[in-house]
Amino acid sequence: MKIISVNSGSSSLKFQLYQMPEETVIASGQVEKIGFKDSVCTLKHNGEIRKETLAVKNHTQAAKLIIDGLINEQVLTSMQEINGVGHRIVQGGEVFDRSTLVNKKVIEQILILGEMAPLHNYAHVEAINGFLKVLPDIPHVVVFDTTFHQTMKADAYMYSTPYEWYLNYGIRKYGFHGSSHKYVSEKTNELLKLENSKVIVCHIGNGASLSAVVNGKCVDTSMGFTPLEGIPMGTRTGSLDPAILSYMEKKLNVSSDEMYEILNKKSGYLGVSQLSSDARDLEEAAFRGHKQAILAFELQAKRIADYIGSYYVYMGGLDAVSFTAGIGENSPYLRKLVLERLKVLGVLIDEEANNNNRLLISSPDSKVKIYVIKTNEELVIARDTMAFIKNNNIV
Ligand code: ADP
């Protein structure tokens, strides 16, 4: 069975073509700068990369380019070879507690939820409609970033805001990066081989979030109503005293939309360091002794450790912490800053393993196992799509 896993943004569309159930990537690629005259279409197959610059008007044209490219490059003999398409959707609200088949009602619901995630859900629907036009006769499945976190209890997902905010406007914690937290917590459980497990996943990339997972089920996560809550990130503040917003809106004479932009795009690593949002740039500066770059990492590490401490108490113990995503997988420096703060939990680092990004980076006498696990959100989408097709006897 061949499944395409799609991750779309407002001006980009990334895909991976999987052979399932073998889980091998046959081809991958992306269309960037959709809507511009100089859109870039990239296709990777058999170790070769083909790049083309051309005007791509919209997501439908992008979807068509991808399928035509796969046929032209003889990755596929025809589009009939594709059995299903899995689409990543950022916000599934409380409506979607599992992946589901795309139909008119599902699309309408994703658009309604788009009010809570305007930067994402509307673009996802553009991509779904694009692929539906190009591949109308096969199942399309939507896989939500929020689904994995739907197992949280009310004491973890509710805010102490007026209750009618929740009832009337859906104000609660939803959590994001769900496919990554699912994938990495499952891998961690495979490694732990315990009957009962308490795991924390630290997804530290440009966007960053933690999740607490008991026996494979998420019980808490650091992102909230939107991906702005939680630990400081590349350009996002993470949690802060909400009173700062109206105070600084007045001081800077900016609107609440402009303030929201500052909190999302000009804060985090970038805001604190005044240098860069990119961890590699910041590490270089930190190693040269740049004080604000060091502070940016220390602020983040302290907050990560805060969450780990609170999850330890909430779960009543901890078997493993797994680091993943761009920084979690590749930065011994950030991991060490976090792990040094966890000594009280009996965490001991194997320095050599940490410096080499090994799978297990805790020393044998550590009370908690510490892993570095490469995430794979696209595979979770392909797996869910295949499972949906099989369970519903669609093929
Ligand atoms: P996202 O998917 O949220 O855009 P990624 O998971 O791709 O983010 O992570 C991007 C971050 O990972 C960037 O800050 C980048 O600098 C960082 N990163 C990638 N490789 C390394 C590395 N070798 N050392 C430190 N940081 C790295």
Side-chain angles (χ1 to χ4, degrees):
M1 178 185 293
K2 288 189 175 65
I3 305 267
I4 299 189
S5 180
V6 176
N7 186 353
S8 57
S10 55
S11 66
S12 71
L13 208 162
K14 295 183 195 152
F15 80 94
Q16 300 220 323
L17 175 66
Y18 280 95
Q19 182 68 48
M20 300 295 281
E22 295 81 356
E23 303 191 342
T24 43
V25 177
I26 308 169
S28 65
Q30 57 190 21
V31 183
E32 291 162 289
K33 296 179 79 177
I34 297 172
F36 291 81
K37 287 207 173 94
D38 55 345
S39 322
V40 186
C41 183
T42 313
L43 181 69
K44 285 188 207 164
H45 169 58
N46 268 348
E48 279 178 33
I49 302 179
R50 197 180 58 102
K51 228 178 195 171
E52 203 182 339
T53 305
L54 72 170
V56 180
K57 268 189 284 176
N58 50 38
H59 287 72
T60 305
Q61 200 186 340
K64 186 155 176 13
L65 263 176
I66 289 171
I67 304 301
D68 287 349
L70 290 169
I71 296 168
N72 291 342
E73 292 295 306
Q74 293 168 356
V75 180
L76 300 171
T77 48
S78 77
M79 60 174 94
Q80 273 72 39
E81 263 191 85
I82 303 170
N83 302 91
V85 184
H87 298 266
R88 173 195 178 213
I89 310 292
V90 164
Q91 178 57 279
E94 285 183 337
V95 184
F96 296 107
D97 62 356
R98 67 198 65 189
S99 302
T100 190
L101 189 69
V102 172
N103 58 32
K104 220 172 135 218
K105 203 161 158 253
V106 166
I107 292 181
E108 272 168 20
Q109 198 62 54
I110 295 169
L111 286 173
I112 292 170
L113 292 165
E115 206 187 348
M116 297 196 286
L119 296 178
H120 297 101
N121 276 27
Y122 300 138
H124 298 326
V125 169
E126 293 281 316
I128 294 173
N129 284 331
F131 273 97
L132 276 173
K133 277 190 196 137
V134 181
L135 299 166
D137 301 323
I138 57 166
H140 291 247
V141 173
V142 274
V143 180
F144 300 89
D145 268 23
T146 44
T147 297
F148 182 65
H149 307 298
Q150 278 295 302
T151 44
M152 288 188 288
K153 290 206 203 120
D155 65 351
Y157 73 69
M158 286 297 290
Y159 295 113
S160 297
T161 46
Y163 198 73
E164 64 269 20
W165 287 18
Y166 167 64
L167 295 178
N168 298 339
Y169 305 103
I171 300 297
R172 53 157 282 177
K173 184 191 274 191
Y174 292 101
F176 299 91
H177 293 139
S179 296
S180 176
H181 287 290
K182 179 175 155 86
Y183 180 84
V184 175
S185 58
E186 281 175 5
K187 277 265 164 216
T188 308
N189 281 329
E190 280 169 27
L191 293 163
L192 283 173
K193 295 190 186 80
L194 295 172
E195 205 163 301
N196 295 297
S197 64
K198 291 165 178 161
V199 168
I200 292 173
V201 176
C202 305
H203 176 114
I204 321 289
N206 240 329
S209 67
L210 275 75
S211 67
V213 184
V214 176
N215 300 333
K217 298 245 182 300
C218 177
V219 296
D220 205 352
T221 191
S222 61
M223 281 181 169
F225 178 68
T226 73
L228 187 55
E229 190 183 347
I231 60 169
M233 311 176 206
T235 59
R236 296 186 198 134
T237 51
S239 303
L240 79 170
D241 179 349
I244 295 170
L245 309 195
S246 64
Y247 184 83
M248 284 309 294
E249 273 169 30
K250 284 180 206 129
K251 288 280 173 206
L252 300 176
N253 193 23
V254 294
S255 66
S256 57
D257 283 350
E258 285 167 316
M259 178 53 69
Y260 186 64
E261 179 93 358
I262 296 172
L263 303 182
N264 264 299
K265 305 251 173 81
K266 297 192 175 150
S267 304
Y269 283 168
L270 176 65
V272 174
S273 70
Q274 295 180 301
L275 211 62
S276 170
S277 64
D278 189 279
R280 277 166 291 196
D281 296 344
L282 273 199
E283 276 193 1
E284 239 179 77
F287 297 159
R288 277 188 277 110
H290 191 287
K291 287 207 172 84
Q292 283 170 242
I294 295 169
L295 179 64
F297 281 120
E298 289 193 333
L299 279 178
Q300 190 187 43
K302 195 251 178 211
R303 292 279 199 87
I304 295 172
D306 288 350
Y307 274 98
I308 292 175
S310 93
Y311 291 166
Y312 172 85
V313 173
Y314 191 57
M315 295 194 292
L318 180 62
D319 298 306
V321 176
S322 292
F323 287 90
T324 193
I327 302 165
E329 289 165 26
N330 297 299
S331 175
Y333 172 68
L334 190 266
R335 289 194 302 257
K336 190 172 173 191
L337 283 181
V338 173
L339 296 172
E340 279 175 344
R341 289 169 160 82
L342 303 180
K343 279 198 186 121
V344 68
L345 302 182
V347 169
L348 295 168
I349 321 174
D350 176 338
E351 297 275 352
E352 199 265 338
N354 184 42
N355 289 337
N356 290 292
N357 300 323
R358 296 256 164 76
L359 175 65
L360 178 68
I361 60 165
S362 50
S363 57
D365 39 356
S366 177
K367 285 198 182 137
V368 180
K369 294 254 190 317
I370 312 291
Y371 296 109
V372 175
I373 295 175
K374 192 168 167 15
T375 194
N376 198 339
E377 290 158 287
E378 296 79 9
L379 181 57
V380 172
I381 294 167
R383 280 180 184 168
D384 270 23
T385 305
M386 179 183 70
F388 193 90
I389 292 172
K390 280 196 166 165
N391 294 342
N392 292 277
N393 294 320
I394 296 175
V395 284

